[in-house]
Amino acid sequence: MIISAIDIGTNSIRYMIARHARGKIAVLEQGGEITQIGKNVDKSGRISPAAAARSLRVLDRFVRRAKQFNARHIAVIATSALRDATNGA
């Protein structure tokens, strides 16, 4: 079974696509890109429109990549900057 994990961090988004079989995980592809979604969230309490747009473009690309591998499950986790920002949703 192919699975994917995407981690939206404060400064970058990272992904991994892996094969899970017989209790073992084999990484097929991984990577990341700097998006700085959390920049100034601690000061303003909000994610900037530019950071949100950058991050959504990267997230979309990583999800499409996982789908190219026919990932059965794609898990996305996010930094506290997204959870704390008033516009984090």
Side-chain angles (χ1 to χ4, degrees):
M1 168 179 26
I2 305 298
I3 56 176
S4 179
I6 300 172
D7 174 25
I8 303 173
T10 302
N11 290 306
S12 64
I13 300 177
R14 300 181 51 79
Y15 78 99
M16 180 181 70
I17 301 167
R19 179 182 319 278
H20 178 256
R22 298 184 202 129
K24 295 183 181 179
I25 294 176
V27 175
L28 303 174
E29 184 173 292
Q30 61 185 346
E33 190 166 323
I34 295 171
T35 62
Q36 295 185 320
I37 197 165
K39 187 175 183 178
N40 295 324
V41 168
D42 56 338
K43 294 176 187 174
S44 70
R46 298 183 56 79
I47 296 166
S48 76
R54 279 192 307 272
S55 298
L56 286 171
R57 281 193 303 272
V58 170
L59 180 60
D60 180 64
R61 193 169 73 244
F62 291 170
V63 168
R64 283 188 281 114
R65 187 66 180 144
K67 288 180 178 180
Q68 288 175 337
F69 276 82
N70 296 314
R72 182 185 276 181
H73 299 285
I74 302 171
V76 180
I77 57 171
T79 178
S80 65
L82 276 174
R83 295 188 304 274
D84 296 343
T86 58
N87 62 342

